[in-house]
Amino acid sequence: MSTKERRQGLRIGARGGKSIMWVFLVIIALFTLLPVAMAILGSFKTNAELTSGATFFPSSWQFSNYATAWKQANFGRFMWNSFYVSIAVTVGTLLVTAMAAYAVDRNRFPGKQIYVTLQASTMFISIGAVVLRPQFDLMVAIGLNKSLWGVILILISAHASIFFMLIGFFRAIPRDLDEAAYIDGCNFYSVFFRIVLPLLRPALAVTALFTFRGAWNEYILPLVFTMTNPKLQTLTVGLANLRYGIGAAAENQLMMAGACIAFLPVLIVYLFASKSFMQVTAGAVKG
């Protein structure tokens, strides 16, 4: 076989490999986006049309489903509660995890390895609903069982994955910056807040996105803590109330419309954080 034929064979093989990769990516994109498209289109259908599943596109676009869902589920109040919980959890988690990750990465102290091991164990051992009763009893003991702050504190405490993500970013920041700041007269806290933390803005934006999304989509904790006070329910809990409408009939189209409304804030947060997400991804690939 000549050199020219070998090159042609390599080119054909490379093109075939790229074609297979693109086909695979298109299939994955279809499996990912098809349920979203079906939910959006289903939110504009009538309940009978959605239940029958006979059509993919609505035969008659029911834009009133969104207004009905907004009024029936009291979305204004529930969305405010969700924003309140999600923003508080995001700010609290970033503050706690950033300080903890910086202290663990930069300092040596007794029990450091045990602390890191305990944090890691919470990521791989999921006990789910088993801890709901102890968590609720703890909030009752400190008087936060009738407030959203009980939910906020519990969600802030579940920060192991964010903790390890930030440790990885802290390790990428040279220690020489800390030493130079100490020489200039800064103390430990000044170095953290004035030198290191500003360099961590892209990473903080990415972790804030994950934290906000997790808090926004949380269902079990807000459900348990707001059973006796419906006015404190979050959007995910209020959305479940759309399941049955007048006469206990299933209103699936309203749930679809409500789900689309609940998805918008997360999409907006992602659009704002996408630039930082791309910066972190590009830095990781380059590194």
Side-chain angles (χ1 to χ4, degrees):
M1 182 181 294
S2 63
T3 305
K4 185 177 181 180
E5 291 176 345
R6 290 179 180 177
R7 289 179 179 176
Q8 289 178 349
L10 291 174
R11 289 176 182 175
I12 294 174
R15 291 176 182 176
K18 288 183 179 179
S19 300
I20 294 174
M21 181 188 68
W22 277 109
V23 170
F24 176 76
L25 292 177
V26 169
I27 293 174
I28 294 298
L30 288 175
F31 274 104
T32 303
L33 297 177
L34 185 60
V36 179
M38 291 181 65
I40 294 174
L41 293 175
S43 66
F44 292 102
K45 296 180 180 180
T46 62
N47 191 30
E49 186 179 7
L50 180 62
T51 304
S52 65
T55 60
F56 185 76
F57 292 97
S59 57
S60 176
W61 294 79
Q62 304 292 324
F63 293 96
S64 60
N65 288 344
Y66 284 84
T68 304
W70 183 274
K71 294 178 181 178
Q72 186 169 323
N74 197 9
F75 264 50
R77 177 180 292 275
F78 295 155
M79 184 167 287
W80 162 251
N81 292 338
S82 290
F83 271 115
Y84 180 74
V85 171
S86 301
I87 293 175
V89 170
T90 301
V91 173
T93 299
L94 292 184
L95 184 62
V96 171
T97 53
M99 291 190 296
Y102 182 72
V104 169
D105 181 59
R106 291 298 200 262
N107 292 334
R108 295 181 180 178
F109 53 88
K112 174 180 176 179
Q113 191 59 41
I114 297 176
Y115 174 77
V116 174
T117 303
L118 289 175
Q119 286 278 14
S121 65
T122 61
M123 298 175 60
F124 300 102
I125 302 175
S126 177
I127 51 181
V130 176
V131 298
L132 280 177
R133 180 57 187 268
Q135 288 173 342
F136 186 79
D137 291 341
L138 178 61
M139 293 301 113
V140 170
I142 60 179
L144 293 179
N145 60 304
K146 296 182 179 180
S147 170
L148 287 175
W149 277 104
V151 178
I152 292 170
L153 290 179
I154 293 174
L155 291 178
I156 289 176
S157 65
H159 60 247
S161 59
I162 305 298
F163 169 76
F164 283 105
M165 288 176 63
L166 291 180
I167 280 185
F169 290 118
F170 276 121
R171 289 175 178 172
I173 299 177
R175 295 176 180 265
D176 296 342
L177 293 175
D178 300 39
E179 297 174 359
Y182 287 133
I183 294 174
D184 290 338
C186 292
N187 57 26
F188 181 82
Y189 300 100
S190 298
V191 172
F192 173 72
F193 286 106
R194 300 177 61 182
I195 306 298
V196 177
L197 206 58
L199 297 175
L200 214 65
R201 286 178 182 175
L204 291 176
V206 173
T207 52
L209 171 63
F210 294 143
T211 307
F212 183 90
R213 183 189 63 183
W216 184 269
N217 294 330
E218 181 63 35
Y219 174 74
I220 296 298
L221 277 175
L223 174 65
V224 172
F225 278 80
T226 60
M227 283 183 175
T228 58
N229 195 349
K231 293 183 178 180
L232 295 180
Q233 290 179 350
T234 58
L235 196 55
T236 52
V237 180
L239 181 60
N241 295 333
L242 289 173
R243 175 63 180 173
Y244 297 105
I246 301 175
E251 300 284 357
N252 296 310
Q253 83 282 8
L254 297 183
M255 285 198 68
M256 293 289 186
C260 292
I261 296 173
F263 174 71
L264 286 177
V266 179
L267 179 62
I268 294 173
V269 171
Y270 173 77
L271 292 177
F272 279 104
S274 60
K275 184 177 179 180
S276 298
F277 187 84
M278 295 301 177
Q279 290 177 353
V280 171
T281 305
V285 173
K286 183 177 179 181

